[in-house]
């Protein structure tokens, strides 16, 4: 990706902003000599015209990629609680280390804040490129960051990443496999404990769950949305198990929530897997350390992060990088799933 | 990218500092031949003029702190498995976000690699300061990084951090409390599943364990060293439980291992807490999601990370920052500890 070369030039930006080419250069190199107001006018003109200092020239003069940016839009407290991001980051880092490159990591409070941050990182040359995650439907980051010419890889379905080359998992297929497996065991009352509806991949999974349940002639209305934390997974499971027609199987959107569900089942005296089957997602080591062990839609999160980093390096090397899926999460049946007690 | 030609050069820096170009080069390459005072004058001049050697990734003319470095010396795969570092990093990030500052994160394969990395980060002004973790006895990073003048905070006991201001937890006191609590419940055969002996804080805990056991007239020889992963915690627990004189209580050095021990107890048919008491460390949400819940030496890891970041900002603001302990981990008794069955 990136602004097509040879169209808009620094001269056009200078003309649009009513300044000299030199001033544009000073602004983009964050040098003194341009007032704050002029600098903003120059950036606005560049954004509008879709111009960014040529990234090829940039990397040539710099010789190598040495920093990649990643902003995460979630509360700091939550970040520490979910295994996914640490495994994902460890995968990214494993590839960055091979390239002697570091990760610039930042927690932001909103997508608007991320836009400003990415703009500053890019203009001030703090990053060579970025990894964008947690896409929403109609994500507000796409348009300004594409206008900026930021080289970036989107983590999410290509329908969500708005033209940024994307690396993604086929969540719809995996959800269908999970539901069909539980139905094949004989379950009819299957529930799903999912992530926030605003996230694109949660919406994809929710839709696939409902569609598959419908195809099987089952009621797909048993959804609970959460923010991915163990506490919320526990609360959702308690609510489902205390209902009059409690489910005999639950699919979770990550493994910490499935693990929490396991604790709740013991707490309310529901036997796993005899009275309740639990199916986790992502499959970190947690799933293999419980007794019985947790069945999961297994997913190499570390490898996912590594692949995202590889695609970004390809992009920065000027290669054409089509969006590509990583392996679809696949079912690993363990001790927490079984046919329902007759 | 690089400093645009024709602007500030090494010559200007040399003139401003009243030294030769060669001296500037020596200072920035951390070579002998320039006194500490001269080096500081050169750095000050360079910073004032906005000059950096071969990289203008960041403008030196900016006065605010905007990047803090953290290198972790552990295999990428392991990093994703341990809740501690993600919670610690989330605490750091919470304070960095208040200062509009980002974390430059890197996995390294050895302490030697970290030394080179920190030197480069500092010379190329990629970081304003760093956080140093996982101190070893006689840590090889101390001397070169102090010579460099890198502003850094050490995470570890002041005996280990060699003059870097440190933020630490009083592990010896916490271990003594843990052992005395289990002994007061009536346990005599108490084992410990610890971290790698090479790490300074593991050594401190091991010594405190042995000393406290000895004071109580108990055999303190039941130690197992691990690399902190759940799998290793499971293996250590299995080994301890299959021995002829198996312990009735086990203290773990983190919570993922205690959690794994919990699974192993169920697997080999040892009842928790009737036949075996388990005491975790750090106390992430894992401990509250099992059934029974896990007793733990509770420790606000997020707050620990936040405090480390605050101390670094104080240091960078030129304040005098004495080493300081954060709150000592304290016992939170839950369902996994009880008197041994008579």
């Amino acid at each position: 990706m990136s602004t097509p070369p040879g169209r808009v030039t620094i001269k056009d930006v200078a003309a649009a902003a009513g300044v000299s080419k030199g001033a544009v250069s000073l602004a983009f190199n964050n040098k003194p000599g341009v007032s704050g107001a002029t600098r903003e006018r120059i950036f606005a003109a560049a954004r509008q015209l879709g111009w960014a200092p040529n990234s090829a020239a940039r990397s040539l003069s710099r010789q190598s990629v040495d920093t990649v940016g990643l902003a995460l839009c979630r509360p700091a407290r939550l970040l520490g609680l979910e295994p996914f991001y640490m495994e994902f980051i460890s995968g990214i880092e494993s590839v960055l280390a091979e390239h002697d490159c570091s990760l610039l990591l930042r927690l932001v409070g909103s997508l608007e804040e991320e836009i400003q941050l990415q703009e500053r990182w890019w203009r001030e040359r703090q990053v060579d490129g970025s990894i964008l995650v947690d896409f929403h439907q109609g994500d507000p980051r796409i348009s300004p960051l594409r206008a900026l010419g930021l080289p970036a890889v989107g983590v999410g379905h290509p329908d969500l990443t708005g033209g940024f080359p994307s690396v993604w998992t086929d969540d719809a297929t995996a959800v269908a496999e999970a539901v069909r497996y539980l139905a094949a065991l004989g379950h009819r009352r299957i529930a799903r404990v999912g992530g926030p509806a605003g996230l694109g991949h949660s919406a994809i999974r929710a839709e696939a769950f409902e569609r598959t349940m419908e195809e099987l002639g089952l009621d797909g209305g048993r959804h609970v949305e959460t923010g991915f934390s163990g506490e919320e997974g526990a609360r959702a499971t308690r609510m489902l198990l205390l209902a009059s027609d409690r489910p005999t199987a639950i699919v979770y959107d990550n493994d910490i929530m499935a693990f929490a569900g396991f604790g709740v089942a013991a707490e309310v005296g529901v036997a796993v897997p005899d009275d309740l089957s639990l199916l986790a997602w992502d499959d970190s080591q947690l799933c293999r350390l419980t007794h019985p062990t947790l069945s999961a839609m297994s997913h190499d999160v570390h490898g996912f992060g590594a692949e995202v980093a590889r695609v970004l390096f390809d992009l920065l090397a000027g290669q054409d990088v089509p969006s590509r899926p990583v392996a679809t999460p696949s079912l690993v049946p363990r001790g927490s799933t079984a046919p329902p007690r007759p």
Side-chain angles (χ1 to χ4, degrees), chain A:
Chain A
M1 63 130 298
S2 78
T3 313
R7 211 149 310 150
V8 181
T9 68
I10 189 170
K11 214 170 139 188
D12 302 314
V13 175
V19 298
S20 68
K21 284 195 295 176
V24 176
S25 175
L26 288 175
F28 271 91
N29 286 294
N30 197 38
K31 294 287 167 196
V34 201
S35 74
T38 305
R39 191 185 299 266
E40 280 315 308
R41 205 165 69 239
I42 291 167
F43 289 158
R47 199 176 304 135
Q48 201 174 358
L49 293 168
W51 180 87
N54 186 301
S55 63
R58 211 193 273 245
S59 51
L60 273 179
S61 62
R62 189 173 187 158
Q63 326 256 315
S64 68
V65 175
D66 69 8
T67 311
V68 164
L70 173 65
L72 295 175
C73 179
R74 35 188 82 196
R77 281 265 173 200
L78 266 189
L79 185 65
L81 303 180
E82 216 197 346
F84 180 89
Y85 269 113
M86 201 69 208
E87 288 216 49
F88 187 73
I89 289 171
S90 78
I92 293 172
E93 289 275 359
S94 69
V95 172
L96 263 52
E98 288 166 16
H99 290 80
D100 200 15
C101 177
S102 306
L103 183 71
L104 194 60
L105 180 67
R106 179 71 162 276
L107 297 192
V108 291
S110 67
L111 296 179
E112 286 62 40
E113 203 184 307
E114 175 173 356
I115 294 166
Q116 287 175 18
L117 176 71
Q118 297 279 7
E119 286 186 350
R120 208 178 64 232
W121 275 354
W122 176 240
R123 271 196 220 116
E124 297 182 355
R125 308 301 194 267
Q126 290 196 58
V127 299
D128 299 275
S130 284
I131 292 168
L132 306 175
V133 298
D134 284 343
F135 277 84
H136 292 239
Q137 301 278 4
D139 199 283
R141 293 169 294 181
I142 293 170
S143 163
L145 298 186
R146 279 186 57 89
L148 193 67
L150 172 75
V153 173
V155 178
H157 193 279
D159 288 351
L160 298 167
T161 60
F164 282 110
S166 83
V167 182
W168 55 292
T169 55
D170 183 355
D171 284 342
T173 298
V175 165
E177 185 185 356
V179 172
R180 287 182 185 282
Y181 161 66
L182 293 169
L185 287 176
H187 293 279
R188 292 292 167 265
R189 294 197 304 280
I190 302 171
R192 175 175 170 271
V193 175
L199 285 183
H201 81 273
S202 295
I204 289 170
R205 292 186 194 180
E207 196 193 307
F209 177 77
E210 285 170 30
R211 196 176 51 240
T212 310
M213 290 289 281
E214 197 183 324
E215 283 166 13
L216 294 165
L218 304 174
D219 169 21
R222 233 178 282 247
H223 274 275
V224 190
E225 280 171 23
T226 71
F228 286 130
S229 76
E231 273 83 358
E232 285 171 278
R235 205 179 312 135
T237 306
R238 209 172 279 117
M239 200 189 79
L240 288 166
L241 293 186
L242 298 180
S244 56
D245 60 340
R246 64 175 171 79
T248 60
I250 307 178
V251 186
Y252 293 86
D253 251 13
N254 67 11
D255 48 14
I256 189 81
M257 293 196 296
F259 167 65
F262 194 72
V264 168
E267 163 201 320
V268 302
V270 170
V272 174
D274 289 345
D275 295 325
L276 178 68
S277 285
L278 299 177
L279 187 55
W281 203 280
D282 289 342
D283 198 18
S284 77
Q285 66 174 348
L286 284 181
C287 298
R288 299 180 293 279
L289 295 174
T290 54
H291 184 80
T293 50
L294 282 169
S295 302
M297 295 307 294
S298 188
H299 179 196
D300 180 1
V301 177
H302 179 95
F304 190 12
E307 183 64 12
V308 168
R310 274 189 291 266
V311 170
L312 182 57
F313 278 107
D314 287 351
L315 181 70
L316 293 172
Q319 293 178 31
D320 184 34
V321 290
S323 292
R324 66 183 88 169
V326 292
T328 302
S330 65
L331 177 69
V332 176
R334 297 200 186 91
S336 68
T337 45
R341 222 198 284 258

